[in-house]
Amino acid sequence: MRKRIFSGAQPTGELHIGNYLGALKNWVALQNEYDCIYCIVNLHGITLPQDPLTYRRKTLDLAKIYLAAGVDPAHSTVFIQSDVPEHAELTWVLSCISRMGELERMTQFKDKMQKGGGNRERAGVGLFTYPVLMAADILLYQTDLVPIGQDQKQHLELTRDLAERFNRDFGEAFVIPEAFIPPVGAKIQSLADPAKKMSKSDENAAGSIFLLDKADTITKKIKRAVTDSGTDISFDPARPAITNLLTIYHLLSGMPKDECVEHFRGKGYGDFKGELAEVVIEFLRPFQERVEQYADDDLGAILKSGAEKARGIAGETLAAVYRKTGIK
Ligand code: AMP
Ligand code: TRP
């Protein structure tokens, strides 16, 4: 039997090339070898306030982005989290074996609480239990591998801890999943501040290249991208800005790293940025055309059959969990 993969992204904000290079690109590459399940995690999305009038639209648009990136519904299961109620149900059971202390240590929770003003009295409980819902997503499908960016690694470790704890205390119900973090591209940094990751929730849109950005916007953002001192175009941990830009070039052009360095030897930032913009634009153009192609009707059928397939698997896991805990 093929090993199982599960991953997901939130329908909040616009996806950027960091999401693509850190996650989506690998989802697509793994499809032929693994049994893949890709979820639009709309229950996670509401841990921060969303506009109810546009949230459903954004959820469907994210499904189009998955498909345009190359997720093939003939091979992989694509569905919306809220269509499979087992996610919320297992979250409850797992939250009963989760500890306040371990959730308080999650850096994403601490960051998001800080961003919201750092007031514990006002921080949402959903932000706190977010990783438990993520654990439920993964564990429901007896997942072997979880392709994610670096920022989600801690959540995956918690998922493993919860699975091990449940298996130990109630009997084997879950496969212990492993993270799949790409060797390059797991952390694409902001163009405006190479010390920060490229992030959907960044107030400064100049730091991110969104998958739906138009050519002139891309050119402008790359031209204005922060660079380091020094002139040569190379991968150098001491020069994070150029390393980040060159990594984007390397991953989107497919040119091996050493060839990239060779290619830009003797050239200046101006030439490099021009070529980088071209590579990004040429990559995104056909991608954006594909996004436009999907009609909502086709999407509806894909998501419905995805949810049915997902429920088949999730239902079995939840039934076992309810049996083992004496709930049923
Ligand atoms: P999210 O946007 O938080 O739903 O994230 C979707 C996926 O993109 C997750 O697997 C993240 O780890 C990944 N991701 C988010 N930001 C970046 C980034 N700047 N570089 C690489 N991967 C990222
Ligand atoms: N927390 C992930 C993120 O923000 C999204 C996510 C939710 C996820 N459930 C998941 C990723 C399960 C992988 C597996 O990026």
Side-chain angles (χ1 to χ4, degrees), residues 245-288:
L245 295 175
L246 200 54
T247 299
I248 296 171
Y249 184 92
H250 154 62
L251 291 171
L252 288 183
S253 68
M255 190 187 278
K257 279 174 132 183
D258 47 347
E259 270 181 47
C260 291
V261 174
E262 202 46 53
H263 179 72
F264 289 111
R265 196 180 298 284
K267 293 189 187 164
Y269 280 145
D271 288 340
F272 168 65
K273 283 183 164 182
E275 285 196 44
L276 175 61
E278 214 168 289
V279 161
V280 175
I281 290 166
E282 284 317 309
F283 170 75
L284 288 180
R285 197 195 311 278
F287 174 84
Q288 293 174 359

mmCIF file of all heavy atoms in Angstrom, residues 245-288:
data_model
loop_
_atom_site.group_PDB
_atom_site.id
_atom_site.type_symbol
_atom_site.label_atom_id
_atom_site.label_comp_id
_atom_site.label_asym_id
_atom_site.label_seq_id
_atom_site.Cartn_x
_atom_site.Cartn_y
_atom_site.Cartn_z
ATOM 1 N N LEU A 245 16.551 35.929 -2.367
ATOM 2 C CA LEU A 245 16.146 36.212 -3.752
ATOM 3 C C LEU A 245 16.699 35.156 -4.706
ATOM 4 O O LEU A 245 16.015 34.689 -5.615
ATOM 5 C CB LEU A 245 16.635 37.607 -4.173
ATOM 6 C CG LEU A 245 16.018 38.796 -3.414
ATOM 7 C CD1 LEU A 245 16.665 40.115 -3.842
ATOM 8 C CD2 LEU A 245 14.505 38.859 -3.643
ATOM 9 N N LEU A 246 17.942 34.769 -4.462
ATOM 10 C CA LEU A 246 18.565 33.770 -5.336
ATOM 11 C C LEU A 246 17.895 32.396 -5.156
ATOM 12 O O LEU A 246 17.781 31.624 -6.105
ATOM 13 C CB LEU A 246 20.073 33.709 -5.032
ATOM 14 C CG LEU A 246 20.978 33.102 -6.103
ATOM 15 C CD1 LEU A 246 20.793 33.759 -7.464
ATOM 16 C CD2 LEU A 246 22.451 33.216 -5.679
ATOM 17 N N THR A 247 17.456 32.126 -3.943
ATOM 18 C CA THR A 247 16.738 30.866 -3.694
ATOM 19 C C THR A 247 15.441 30.837 -4.497
ATOM 20 O O THR A 247 15.082 29.818 -5.094
ATOM 21 C CB THR A 247 16.431 30.716 -2.183
ATOM 22 O OG1 THR A 247 17.669 30.694 -1.475
ATOM 23 C CG2 THR A 247 15.661 29.435 -1.889
ATOM 24 N N ILE A 248 14.754 31.960 -4.522
ATOM 25 C CA ILE A 248 13.512 32.042 -5.304
ATOM 26 C C ILE A 248 13.828 31.807 -6.788
ATOM 27 O O ILE A 248 13.155 31.044 -7.479
ATOM 28 C CB ILE A 248 12.815 33.409 -5.085
ATOM 29 C CG1 ILE A 248 12.384 33.556 -3.620
ATOM 30 C CG2 ILE A 248 11.615 33.565 -6.023
ATOM 31 C CD1 ILE A 248 11.873 34.943 -3.248
ATOM 32 N N TYR A 249 14.911 32.448 -7.243
ATOM 33 C CA TYR A 249 15.317 32.274 -8.643
ATOM 34 C C TYR A 249 15.621 30.799 -8.930
ATOM 35 O O TYR A 249 15.112 30.208 -9.883
ATOM 36 C CB TYR A 249 16.550 33.139 -8.951
ATOM 37 C CG TYR A 249 16.961 33.070 -10.399
ATOM 38 C CD1 TYR A 249 16.477 33.987 -11.324
ATOM 39 C CD2 TYR A 249 17.825 32.067 -10.855
ATOM 40 C CE1 TYR A 249 16.836 33.915 -12.678
ATOM 41 C CE2 TYR A 249 18.179 31.974 -12.189
ATOM 42 C CZ TYR A 249 17.693 32.904 -13.093
ATOM 43 O OH TYR A 249 18.039 32.816 -14.423
ATOM 44 N N HIS A 250 16.421 30.208 -8.074
ATOM 45 C CA HIS A 250 16.828 28.798 -8.223
ATOM 46 C C HIS A 250 15.605 27.874 -8.267
ATOM 47 O O HIS A 250 15.485 27.018 -9.145
ATOM 48 C CB HIS A 250 17.773 28.456 -7.061
ATOM 49 C CG HIS A 250 17.824 27.020 -6.659
ATOM 50 N ND1 HIS A 250 18.253 26.024 -7.508
ATOM 51 C CD2 HIS A 250 17.508 26.407 -5.481
ATOM 52 C CE1 HIS A 250 18.193 24.856 -6.862
ATOM 53 N NE2 HIS A 250 17.735 25.064 -5.645
ATOM 54 N N LEU A 251 14.669 28.081 -7.360
ATOM 55 C CA LEU A 251 13.530 27.157 -7.276
ATOM 56 C C LEU A 251 12.542 27.357 -8.422
ATOM 57 O O LEU A 251 11.979 26.386 -8.923
ATOM 58 C CB LEU A 251 12.814 27.314 -5.931
ATOM 59 C CG LEU A 251 13.625 26.830 -4.718
ATOM 60 C CD1 LEU A 251 12.937 27.225 -3.421
ATOM 61 C CD2 LEU A 251 13.802 25.301 -4.768
ATOM 62 N N LEU A 252 12.337 28.592 -8.836
ATOM 63 C CA LEU A 252 11.348 28.804 -9.900
ATOM 64 C C LEU A 252 11.921 28.543 -11.286
ATOM 65 O O LEU A 252 11.193 28.146 -12.199
ATOM 66 C CB LEU A 252 10.763 30.223 -9.828
ATOM 67 C CG LEU A 252 9.812 30.490 -8.660
ATOM 68 C CD1 LEU A 252 9.249 31.898 -8.750
ATOM 69 C CD2 LEU A 252 8.663 29.479 -8.601
ATOM 70 N N SER A 253 13.223 28.761 -11.462
ATOM 71 C CA SER A 253 13.807 28.534 -12.795
ATOM 72 C C SER A 253 14.197 27.072 -12.959
ATOM 73 O O SER A 253 14.314 26.577 -14.071
ATOM 74 C CB SER A 253 15.056 29.395 -12.980
ATOM 75 O OG SER A 253 16.090 28.935 -12.114
ATOM 76 N N GLY A 254 14.411 26.376 -11.828
ATOM 77 C CA GLY A 254 14.876 24.996 -11.905
ATOM 78 C C GLY A 254 16.365 24.902 -12.179
ATOM 79 O O GLY A 254 16.915 23.814 -12.341
ATOM 80 N N MET A 255 17.049 26.033 -12.235
ATOM 81 C CA MET A 255 18.490 26.023 -12.502
ATOM 82 C C MET A 255 19.223 25.603 -11.222
ATOM 83 O O MET A 255 18.946 26.147 -10.152
ATOM 84 C CB MET A 255 18.934 27.439 -12.921
ATOM 85 C CG MET A 255 20.336 27.531 -13.455
ATOM 86 S SD MET A 255 20.836 29.267 -13.732
ATOM 87 C CE MET A 255 20.116 29.622 -15.301
ATOM 88 N N PRO A 256 20.158 24.625 -11.315
ATOM 89 C CA PRO A 256 20.880 24.211 -10.104
ATOM 90 C C PRO A 256 21.592 25.406 -9.447
ATOM 91 O O PRO A 256 21.957 26.358 -10.139
ATOM 92 C CB PRO A 256 21.904 23.201 -10.628
ATOM 93 C CG PRO A 256 21.371 22.748 -11.949
ATOM 94 C CD PRO A 256 20.562 23.870 -12.506
ATOM 95 N N LYS A 257 21.803 25.307 -8.126
ATOM 96 C CA LYS A 257 22.351 26.436 -7.369
ATOM 97 C C LYS A 257 23.691 26.942 -7.924
ATOM 98 O O LYS A 257 23.876 28.144 -8.103
ATOM 99 C CB LYS A 257 22.552 26.037 -5.903
ATOM 100 C CG LYS A 257 21.289 26.108 -5.070
ATOM 101 C CD LYS A 257 21.562 25.548 -3.686
ATOM 102 C CE LYS A 257 21.032 26.472 -2.625
ATOM 103 N NZ LYS A 257 21.324 26.023 -1.272
ATOM 104 N N ASP A 258 24.606 26.000 -8.179
ATOM 105 C CA ASP A 258 25.930 26.458 -8.629
ATOM 106 C C ASP A 258 25.853 27.127 -10.001
ATOM 107 O O ASP A 258 26.572 28.080 -10.287
ATOM 108 C CB ASP A 258 26.961 25.317 -8.600
ATOM 109 C CG ASP A 258 26.442 24.033 -9.232
ATOM 110 O OD1 ASP A 258 25.214 23.956 -9.463
ATOM 111 O OD2 ASP A 258 27.241 23.121 -9.504
ATOM 112 N N GLU A 259 24.944 26.629 -10.844
ATOM 113 C CA GLU A 259 24.767 27.286 -12.151
ATOM 114 C C GLU A 259 24.205 28.694 -11.997
ATOM 115 O O GLU A 259 24.550 29.591 -12.771
ATOM 116 C CB GLU A 259 23.815 26.479 -13.038
ATOM 117 C CG GLU A 259 24.519 25.455 -13.892
ATOM 118 C CD GLU A 259 23.544 24.693 -14.789
ATOM 119 O OE1 GLU A 259 22.700 25.345 -15.440
ATOM 120 O OE2 GLU A 259 23.620 23.448 -14.793
ATOM 121 N N CYS A 260 23.307 28.867 -11.027
ATOM 122 C CA CYS A 260 22.752 30.207 -10.779
ATOM 123 C C CYS A 260 23.886 31.174 -10.458
ATOM 124 O O CYS A 260 23.964 32.274 -11.003
ATOM 125 C CB CYS A 260 21.778 30.209 -9.595
ATOM 126 S SG CYS A 260 20.247 29.336 -9.889
ATOM 127 N N VAL A 261 24.779 30.724 -9.563
ATOM 128 C CA VAL A 261 25.877 31.588 -9.145
ATOM 129 C C VAL A 261 26.762 31.912 -10.352
ATOM 130 O O VAL A 261 27.144 33.064 -10.589
ATOM 131 C CB VAL A 261 26.693 30.902 -8.021
ATOM 132 C CG1 VAL A 261 27.922 31.725 -7.669
ATOM 133 C CG2 VAL A 261 25.810 30.682 -6.794
ATOM 134 N N GLU A 262 27.050 30.878 -11.144
ATOM 135 C CA GLU A 262 27.874 31.046 -12.338
ATOM 136 C C GLU A 262 27.213 32.038 -13.305
ATOM 137 O O GLU A 262 27.841 32.954 -13.832
ATOM 138 C CB GLU A 262 28.029 29.655 -13.003
ATOM 139 C CG GLU A 262 29.216 29.490 -13.904
ATOM 140 C CD GLU A 262 30.490 30.027 -13.277
ATOM 141 O OE1 GLU A 262 30.853 29.644 -12.129
ATOM 142 O OE2 GLU A 262 31.113 30.864 -13.953
ATOM 143 N N HIS A 263 25.906 31.843 -13.487
ATOM 144 C CA HIS A 263 25.122 32.654 -14.420
ATOM 145 C C HIS A 263 25.189 34.141 -14.075
ATOM 146 O O HIS A 263 25.193 34.989 -14.954
ATOM 147 C CB HIS A 263 23.671 32.151 -14.392
ATOM 148 C CG HIS A 263 22.743 32.898 -15.291
ATOM 149 N ND1 HIS A 263 22.775 32.780 -16.661
ATOM 150 C CD2 HIS A 263 21.746 33.776 -15.011
ATOM 151 C CE1 HIS A 263 21.839 33.552 -17.190
ATOM 152 N NE2 HIS A 263 21.192 34.169 -16.211
ATOM 153 N N PHE A 264 25.226 34.444 -12.782
ATOM 154 C CA PHE A 264 25.187 35.857 -12.370
ATOM 155 C C PHE A 264 26.559 36.407 -11.994
ATOM 156 O O PHE A 264 26.667 37.540 -11.546
ATOM 157 C CB PHE A 264 24.194 36.051 -11.215
ATOM 158 C CG PHE A 264 22.762 35.905 -11.650
ATOM 159 C CD1 PHE A 264 21.994 34.825 -11.240
ATOM 160 C CD2 PHE A 264 22.191 36.844 -12.509
ATOM 161 C CE1 PHE A 264 20.683 34.675 -11.662
ATOM 162 C CE2 PHE A 264 20.876 36.708 -12.943
ATOM 163 C CZ PHE A 264 20.118 35.618 -12.518
ATOM 164 N N ARG A 265 27.595 35.603 -12.197
ATOM 165 C CA ARG A 265 28.943 36.082 -11.850
ATOM 166 C C ARG A 265 29.258 37.341 -12.664
ATOM 167 O O ARG A 265 29.035 37.391 -13.871
ATOM 168 C CB ARG A 265 29.982 34.999 -12.152
ATOM 169 C CG ARG A 265 31.317 35.254 -11.468
ATOM 170 C CD ARG A 265 32.334 34.154 -11.795
ATOM 171 N NE ARG A 265 31.934 32.815 -11.345
ATOM 172 C CZ ARG A 265 31.990 32.395 -10.078
ATOM 173 N NH1 ARG A 265 32.427 33.184 -9.135
ATOM 174 N NH2 ARG A 265 31.610 31.173 -9.767
ATOM 175 N N GLY A 266 29.720 38.369 -11.965
ATOM 176 C CA GLY A 266 30.104 39.608 -12.647
ATOM 177 C C GLY A 266 28.920 40.523 -12.939
ATOM 178 O O GLY A 266 29.098 41.650 -13.380
ATOM 179 N N LYS A 267 27.702 40.030 -12.720
ATOM 180 C CA LYS A 267 26.535 40.892 -12.970
ATOM 181 C C LYS A 267 26.126 41.605 -11.682
ATOM 182 O O LYS A 267 26.422 41.147 -10.576
ATOM 183 C CB LYS A 267 25.358 40.062 -13.483
ATOM 184 C CG LYS A 267 25.616 39.469 -14.860
ATOM 185 C CD LYS A 267 24.350 38.842 -15.429
ATOM 186 C CE LYS A 267 24.661 38.098 -16.733
ATOM 187 N NZ LYS A 267 23.590 37.179 -17.108
ATOM 188 N N GLY A 268 25.415 42.718 -11.839
ATOM 189 C CA GLY A 268 25.010 43.505 -10.672
ATOM 190 C C GLY A 268 23.587 43.192 -10.234
ATOM 191 O O GLY A 268 22.881 42.406 -10.875
ATOM 192 N N TYR A 269 23.183 43.817 -9.130
ATOM 193 C CA TYR A 269 21.825 43.618 -8.608
ATOM 194 C C TYR A 269 20.745 43.969 -9.627
ATOM 195 O O TYR A 269 19.700 43.334 -9.683
ATOM 196 C CB TYR A 269 21.613 44.473 -7.350
ATOM 197 C CG TYR A 269 22.200 43.885 -6.082
ATOM 198 C CD1 TYR A 269 22.747 44.717 -5.113
ATOM 199 C CD2 TYR A 269 22.174 42.518 -5.849
ATOM 200 C CE1 TYR A 269 23.277 44.192 -3.932
ATOM 201 C CE2 TYR A 269 22.692 41.988 -4.673
ATOM 202 C CZ TYR A 269 23.242 42.828 -3.728
ATOM 203 O OH TYR A 269 23.747 42.308 -2.561
ATOM 204 N N GLY A 270 21.021 45.023 -10.421
ATOM 205 C CA GLY A 270 20.017 45.471 -11.406
ATOM 206 C C GLY A 270 19.699 44.364 -12.391
ATOM 207 O O GLY A 270 18.529 44.019 -12.613
ATOM 208 N N ASP A 271 20.743 43.786 -12.977
ATOM 209 C CA ASP A 271 20.544 42.695 -13.945
ATOM 210 C C ASP A 271 19.848 41.514 -13.267
ATOM 211 O O ASP A 271 18.922 40.920 -13.803
ATOM 212 C CB ASP A 271 21.902 42.175 -14.451
ATOM 213 C CG ASP A 271 22.554 43.171 -15.382
ATOM 214 O OD1 ASP A 271 21.822 44.032 -15.920
ATOM 215 O OD2 ASP A 271 23.792 43.101 -15.548
ATOM 216 N N PHE A 272 20.353 41.192 -12.089
ATOM 217 C CA PHE A 272 19.792 40.043 -11.373
ATOM 218 C C PHE A 272 18.297 40.244 -11.110
ATOM 219 O O PHE A 272 17.475 39.360 -11.380
ATOM 220 C CB PHE A 272 20.531 39.817 -10.045
ATOM 221 C CG PHE A 272 19.835 38.857 -9.145
ATOM 222 C CD1 PHE A 272 19.698 37.516 -9.512
ATOM 223 C CD2 PHE A 272 19.269 39.272 -7.945
ATOM 224 C CE1 PHE A 272 19.023 36.609 -8.691
ATOM 225 C CE2 PHE A 272 18.593 38.381 -7.123
ATOM 226 C CZ PHE A 272 18.470 37.051 -7.499
ATOM 227 N N LYS A 273 17.939 41.411 -10.609
ATOM 228 C CA LYS A 273 16.534 41.644 -10.282
ATOM 229 C C LYS A 273 15.660 41.605 -11.529
ATOM 230 O O LYS A 273 14.532 41.103 -11.491
ATOM 231 C CB LYS A 273 16.384 42.982 -9.561
ATOM 232 C CG LYS A 273 16.815 42.906 -8.096
ATOM 233 C CD LYS A 273 16.574 44.233 -7.411
ATOM 234 C CE LYS A 273 16.624 44.099 -5.895
ATOM 235 N NZ LYS A 273 16.342 45.389 -5.233
ATOM 236 N N GLY A 274 16.198 42.105 -12.651
ATOM 237 C CA GLY A 274 15.449 42.046 -13.913
ATOM 238 C C GLY A 274 15.161 40.603 -14.290
ATOM 239 O O GLY A 274 14.035 40.238 -14.638
ATOM 240 N N GLU A 275 16.183 39.766 -14.188
ATOM 241 C CA GLU A 275 15.995 38.355 -14.578
ATOM 242 C C GLU A 275 15.104 37.613 -13.601
ATOM 243 O O GLU A 275 14.313 36.747 -13.980
ATOM 244 C CB GLU A 275 17.354 37.646 -14.683
ATOM 245 C CG GLU A 275 18.103 38.039 -15.946
ATOM 246 C CD GLU A 275 19.245 37.078 -16.258
ATOM 247 O OE1 GLU A 275 19.046 35.846 -16.148
ATOM 248 O OE2 GLU A 275 20.339 37.566 -16.583
ATOM 249 N N LEU A 276 15.235 37.975 -12.330
ATOM 250 C CA LEU A 276 14.389 37.335 -11.322
ATOM 251 C C LEU A 276 12.919 37.669 -11.600
ATOM 252 O O LEU A 276 12.050 36.787 -11.583
ATOM 253 C CB LEU A 276 14.790 37.790 -9.912
ATOM 254 C CG LEU A 276 13.893 37.276 -8.777
ATOM 255 C CD1 LEU A 276 13.910 35.740 -8.710
ATOM 256 C CD2 LEU A 276 14.334 37.845 -7.421
ATOM 257 N N ALA A 277 12.652 38.938 -11.882
ATOM 258 C CA ALA A 277 11.268 39.348 -12.154
ATOM 259 C C ALA A 277 10.724 38.554 -13.341
ATOM 260 O O ALA A 277 9.588 38.058 -13.318
ATOM 261 C CB ALA A 277 11.204 40.845 -12.428
ATOM 262 N N GLU A 278 11.568 38.388 -14.360
ATOM 263 C CA GLU A 278 11.124 37.656 -15.545
ATOM 264 C C GLU A 278 10.752 36.208 -15.210
ATOM 265 O O GLU A 278 9.722 35.694 -15.627
ATOM 266 C CB GLU A 278 12.273 37.659 -16.546
ATOM 267 C CG GLU A 278 11.840 37.722 -17.982
ATOM 268 C CD GLU A 278 13.048 38.028 -18.844
ATOM 269 O OE1 GLU A 278 13.552 39.176 -18.797
ATOM 270 O OE2 GLU A 278 13.521 37.099 -19.506
ATOM 271 N N VAL A 279 11.606 35.567 -14.425
ATOM 272 C CA VAL A 279 11.358 34.173 -14.050
ATOM 273 C C VAL A 279 10.056 34.052 -13.250
ATOM 274 O O VAL A 279 9.238 33.158 -13.483
ATOM 275 C CB VAL A 279 12.563 33.618 -13.241
ATOM 276 C CG1 VAL A 279 12.192 32.380 -12.450
ATOM 277 C CG2 VAL A 279 13.713 33.316 -14.179
ATOM 278 N N VAL A 280 9.854 34.976 -12.322
ATOM 279 C CA VAL A 280 8.649 34.914 -11.487
ATOM 280 C C VAL A 280 7.405 35.150 -12.362
ATOM 281 O O VAL A 280 6.417 34.414 -12.275
ATOM 282 C CB VAL A 280 8.713 35.954 -10.333
ATOM 283 C CG1 VAL A 280 7.407 35.972 -9.552
ATOM 284 C CG2 VAL A 280 9.881 35.638 -9.400
ATOM 285 N N ILE A 281 7.484 36.149 -13.220
ATOM 286 C CA ILE A 281 6.330 36.477 -14.078
ATOM 287 C C ILE A 281 6.014 35.308 -15.014
ATOM 288 O O ILE A 281 4.861 34.900 -15.152
ATOM 289 C CB ILE A 281 6.611 37.765 -14.886
ATOM 290 C CG1 ILE A 281 6.617 38.970 -13.932
ATOM 291 C CG2 ILE A 281 5.572 37.958 -15.997
ATOM 292 C CD1 ILE A 281 7.209 40.239 -14.528
ATOM 293 N N GLU A 282 7.042 34.737 -15.601
ATOM 294 C CA GLU A 282 6.813 33.624 -16.535
ATOM 295 C C GLU A 282 6.294 32.376 -15.819
ATOM 296 O O GLU A 282 5.594 31.570 -16.409
ATOM 297 C CB GLU A 282 8.100 33.288 -17.308
ATOM 298 C CG GLU A 282 8.412 34.293 -18.398
ATOM 299 C CD GLU A 282 7.160 34.697 -19.210
ATOM 300 O OE1 GLU A 282 6.428 33.805 -19.688
ATOM 301 O OE2 GLU A 282 6.911 35.915 -19.336
ATOM 302 N N PHE A 283 6.647 32.244 -14.562
ATOM 303 C CA PHE A 283 6.104 31.129 -13.800
ATOM 304 C C PHE A 283 4.639 31.386 -13.453
ATOM 305 O O PHE A 283 3.787 30.492 -13.539
ATOM 306 C CB PHE A 283 6.909 30.906 -12.506
ATOM 307 C CG PHE A 283 6.240 29.941 -11.586
ATOM 308 C CD1 PHE A 283 6.268 28.579 -11.853
ATOM 309 C CD2 PHE A 283 5.526 30.391 -10.485
ATOM 310 C CE1 PHE A 283 5.608 27.679 -11.026
ATOM 311 C CE2 PHE A 283 4.863 29.499 -9.661
ATOM 312 C CZ PHE A 283 4.902 28.146 -9.937
ATOM 313 N N LEU A 284 4.322 32.601 -13.053
ATOM 314 C CA LEU A 284 2.967 32.876 -12.562
ATOM 315 C C LEU A 284 1.942 33.058 -13.678
ATOM 316 O O LEU A 284 0.754 32.835 -13.467
ATOM 317 C CB LEU A 284 2.972 34.096 -11.635
ATOM 318 C CG LEU A 284 3.622 33.852 -10.267
ATOM 319 C CD1 LEU A 284 3.570 35.115 -9.415
ATOM 320 C CD2 LEU A 284 2.932 32.707 -9.513
ATOM 321 N N ARG A 285 2.388 33.448 -14.868
ATOM 322 C CA ARG A 285 1.424 33.719 -15.941
ATOM 323 C C ARG A 285 0.540 32.495 -16.235
ATOM 324 O O ARG A 285 -0.682 32.561 -16.106
ATOM 325 C CB ARG A 285 2.145 34.201 -17.200
ATOM 326 C CG ARG A 285 1.221 34.880 -18.194
ATOM 327 C CD ARG A 285 1.853 35.022 -19.578
ATOM 328 N NE ARG A 285 3.202 35.587 -19.589
ATOM 329 C CZ ARG A 285 3.473 36.905 -19.526
ATOM 330 N NH1 ARG A 285 2.494 37.773 -19.455
ATOM 331 N NH2 ARG A 285 4.721 37.321 -19.536
ATOM 332 N N PRO A 286 1.123 31.356 -16.604
ATOM 333 C CA PRO A 286 0.269 30.183 -16.881
ATOM 334 C C PRO A 286 -0.484 29.713 -15.642
ATOM 335 O O PRO A 286 -1.612 29.218 -15.750
ATOM 336 C CB PRO A 286 1.259 29.107 -17.347
ATOM 337 C CG PRO A 286 2.608 29.579 -16.942
ATOM 338 C CD PRO A 286 2.560 31.068 -16.844
ATOM 339 N N PHE A 287 0.103 29.895 -14.486
ATOM 340 C CA PHE A 287 -0.563 29.525 -13.244
ATOM 341 C C PHE A 287 -1.862 30.323 -13.094
ATOM 342 O O PHE A 287 -2.938 29.787 -12.829
ATOM 343 C CB PHE A 287 0.383 29.802 -12.061
ATOM 344 C CG PHE A 287 -0.250 29.598 -10.721
ATOM 345 C CD1 PHE A 287 -0.320 28.342 -10.159
ATOM 346 C CD2 PHE A 287 -0.806 30.671 -10.030
ATOM 347 C CE1 PHE A 287 -0.932 28.143 -8.937
ATOM 348 C CE2 PHE A 287 -1.417 30.495 -8.808
ATOM 349 C CZ PHE A 287 -1.481 29.222 -8.255
ATOM 350 N N GLN A 288 -1.762 31.626 -13.318
ATOM 351 C CA GLN A 288 -2.944 32.493 -13.173
ATOM 352 C C GLN A 288 -3.991 32.166 -14.235
ATOM 353 O O GLN A 288 -5.194 32.238 -13.976
ATOM 354 C CB GLN A 288 -2.529 33.965 -13.234
ATOM 355 C CG GLN A 288 -1.678 34.337 -12.018
ATOM 356 C CD GLN A 288 -1.100 35.745 -12.081
ATOM 357 O OE1 GLN A 288 -1.306 36.466 -13.053
ATOM 358 N NE2 GLN A 288 -0.366 36.130 -11.048
#
